[in-house]
Amino acid sequence: MTTPQDYDPYVQGCPSRALLDRIGDRWTVLVIGVLADGPQRFSQLRRRVDGVSQKMLTQTLRGLEADGLVTRTVYAEVPPRVEYELTALGHSLRVPLLALEDWAREHMDEVLGSRQRVAERV
């Protein structure tokens, strides 16, 4: 049986590294944020996540589904209706991601100021 200590993202080839790559992806952060409001259809997600392409949204949703963070439900209607929803695991990820969003909002002026100072040195 494995324990959380068995997974070390600093070791090449550890599966936790791939999970951190997924979690750190900007589209993942935004999709999970939108899905925290409840089930969404693909078109709703695409409208709410400004700038995401259809291809990237599809890839992101497939990856989140494969990792058990999102469920995809197909309704037998004409035309077919598909909804995406966070699983319990996905909801548990919302807490640390919300902390990152809050941090970004709180410190954005400092980051922009730093970027400006570096750009002026060039």
Side-chain angles (χ1 to χ4, degrees):
M1 180 170 172
T2 60
T3 66
Q5 292 75 25
D6 293 328
Y7 298 108
D8 185 351
Y10 294 95
V11 174
Q12 185 176 1
C14 181
S16 64
R17 190 178 282 191
L19 180 59
L20 287 176
D21 285 344
R22 166 112 42 241
I23 293 167
D25 177 73
R26 72 173 153 174
W27 302 123
T28 292
V29 171
L30 298 173
V31 167
I32 288 178
V34 170
L35 290 176
D37 294 338
Q40 302 280 320
R41 296 176 74 168
F42 186 91
S43 59
Q44 292 172 305
L45 283 167
R46 187 143 183 235
R47 277 193 300 275
R48 298 238 354 240
V49 181
D50 191 30
V52 68
S53 69
Q54 181 172 338
K55 177 183 176 184
M56 283 309 305
L57 182 55
T58 298
Q59 287 177 357
T60 300
L61 288 167
R62 285 180 182 161
L64 292 171
E65 185 180 13
D67 286 343
L69 301 169
V70 167
T71 58
R72 178 180 185 268
T73 305
V74 180
Y75 296 92
E77 300 174 355
V78 178
R81 179 170 53 105
V82 178
E83 286 186 343
Y84 298 89
E85 185 174 11
L86 289 180
T87 62
L89 187 61
H91 278 287
S92 73
L93 181 58
R94 182 65 180 134
V95 174
L97 291 182
L98 191 54
L100 287 173
E101 287 179 31
D102 290 344
W103 184 92
R105 285 185 182 100
E106 184 176 334
H107 297 283
M108 198 66 238
D109 285 341
E110 294 168 77
V111 170
L112 291 173
S114 179
R115 288 178 183 174
Q116 181 64 37
R117 287 188 296 279
V118 169
E120 290 170 355
R121 288 194 313 232
V122 176

